[in-house]
Amino acid sequence: MSAKGIMEAHDHSWLHMNPDYTYTRIGAEGASAFINEHFPGRSDILETFRDIQNPGMRSDFLRYLILLADGGIYTDTDTTAVRPIDEWVPDQYRDSTKVLVGIEWDIRDEEDQKWFVYPIQLAQWTIAITPHHPIMEELVNSVLHSIKYYTAKYRTTIDMLNLTSQEIVDTTGPTVWTKAVWRHMQAQEPALTNMRNLSFLQEPTLYGDVLLFPINSFGSGQAHSGSSSSTKDVLVRHHWQGSWRTGE
C-alpha cells in the first residue's frame, strides 16, 4: 500500500501514531475544490455531488471519489488509531494487498438480518485502497446510477430527493460498498460463492487483492457479531459519533 493517506482524524492519535504519513482534512470547500480538480470532465459527478443535500450521502460519495482519484487511507472523524498503519498488513500479504477492509457486522448463526441486505456488512468508516482501483470505479458508477434511478422513480430532482434511511444505505452507504467489494472478491476468487463463508473470520485473510479483517480490527466494542472490547486485534476504534451525518 502507498504511504500516502487522505484522512480525517478524530484526535491526534493518527498523527502521533503515523508521523510519516501525509494528512488532509476534507471540509465542504475542500470537497468541492477536490472534485473540480480531479473530475473536470465528469459533469455527472460534479452535478450530482453539488446537488446532493443529505449530509450522509455527500460524505459517503466524497470518500469514494477521494479514494478513486488518490487512493490511500480514508477514516471518519470519529475514529482513533490504535496501531500504526504500517503494522496492519501481515508480512506475507504486503506484496499482494491493494485493498484493506474490515467487517462491521456478521450474521454468524443468526437468521434475522432485517436491518442488513447481506450476511456480512463491511465497514466504510475506515478504508485503504490503491488509486483508480476497479472497486471504486464500480462504486462511483453505482452511486450515480442509483441516484438517477431514484430521481426518476420519485419524479424529482437530486436537490429535492428525500430517501428513506434504507434507501440511503443502499445508494451510498455500507450496502453498496459491501456489494462492490464482494463482487470484486468473487471475480478474483471464483470459488468464493457464498458470503456466509466469511463468517467467524478470526484473522486477516487475503481474497485476491482484498485483505479482509475480522470484526474487532475496525469494529470492536459492538454488541453483536462476536465483537469485543479487547485490544488484541484492534487496529482502529470507531466512536459512533456521526456528526458528519447531521452536518455539524
Side-chain angles (χ1 to χ4, degrees):
M1 297 293 296
S2 167
K4 182 177 182 181
I6 295 182
M7 313 179 71
E8 294 182 345
H10 173 255
D11 56 20
H12 295 294
S13 64
W14 292 97
L15 293 164
H16 174 74
M17 200 160 288
N18 306 282
D20 296 332
Y21 279 65
T22 299
Y23 299 82
T24 302
R25 187 182 176 97
I26 302 293
E29 292 184 5
S32 297
F34 182 91
I35 293 172
N36 277 280
E37 176 184 353
H38 289 85
F39 301 96
R42 293 291 302 271
S43 60
D44 53 345
I45 290 176
L46 296 170
E47 293 170 5
T48 298
F49 185 80
R50 179 196 65 200
D51 292 342
I52 291 175
Q53 299 301 304
N54 181 280
M57 293 179 69
R58 285 175 65 87
S59 175
D60 290 338
F61 194 30
L62 176 60
R63 76 191 65 185
Y64 303 149
L65 293 172
I66 290 172
L67 292 172
L68 171 59
D70 275 359
I73 299 167
Y74 171 90
T75 195
D76 278 350
T77 57
D78 57 348
T79 63
T80 299
V82 176
R83 287 176 56 189
I85 294 167
D86 289 343
E87 296 180 6
W88 289 6
V89 181
D91 290 341
Q92 66 268 31
Y93 298 140
R94 286 187 179 275
D95 293 337
S96 304
T97 300
K98 294 185 178 179
V99 185
L100 307 182
V101 62
I103 292 174
E104 171 186 1
W105 178 82
D106 181 358
I107 192 173
R108 299 204 164 202
D109 292 328
E110 301 296 326
E111 294 299 330
D112 182 9
Q113 60 175 74
K114 63 181 180 179
W115 301 113
F116 302 93
V117 173
Y118 299 108
I120 296 289
Q121 182 162 288
L122 303 179
Q124 45 135 228
W125 55 76
T126 301
I127 301 169
I129 196 165
T130 55
H132 307 291
H133 194 279
I135 288 176
M136 287 302 164
E137 296 276 3
E138 176 177 338
L139 196 53
V140 167
N141 288 330
S142 180
V143 170
L144 294 170
H145 174 80
S146 293
I147 290 176
K148 184 177 180 180
Y149 165 79
Y150 281 119
T151 55
K153 177 181 179 179
Y154 294 122
R155 299 181 181 181
T156 187
T157 55
I158 296 174
D159 60 320
M160 297 298 292
L161 197 59
N162 185 21
L163 301 181
T164 66
S165 294
Q166 188 61 57
E167 288 171 339
I168 291 171
V169 169
D170 293 347
T171 298
T172 65
T175 298
V176 70
W177 164 240
T178 299
K179 177 181 178 181
V181 175
W182 172 242
R183 283 167 57 92
H184 179 77
M185 290 167 63
Q186 285 183 294
Q188 297 205 331
E189 301 278 354
L192 194 61
T193 59
N194 191 334
M195 194 180 286
R196 280 180 176 264
N197 292 337
L198 305 178
S199 283
F200 296 96
L201 191 73
Q202 297 298 309
E203 60 185 26
T205 304
L206 191 67
Y207 298 94
D209 62 3
V210 178
L211 186 60
L212 182 65
F213 289 94
I215 186 73
N216 269 348
S217 295
F218 292 168
S220 64
Q222 300 182 86
H224 56 74
S225 309
S227 173
S228 74
S229 297
S230 168
T231 59
K232 177 178 178 294
D233 301 314
V234 177
L235 305 178
V236 174
R237 289 203 186 278
H238 187 213
H239 299 286
W240 311 98
Q241 292 178 343
S243 62
W244 47 269
R245 288 204 176 272
T246 58
E248 294 176 1

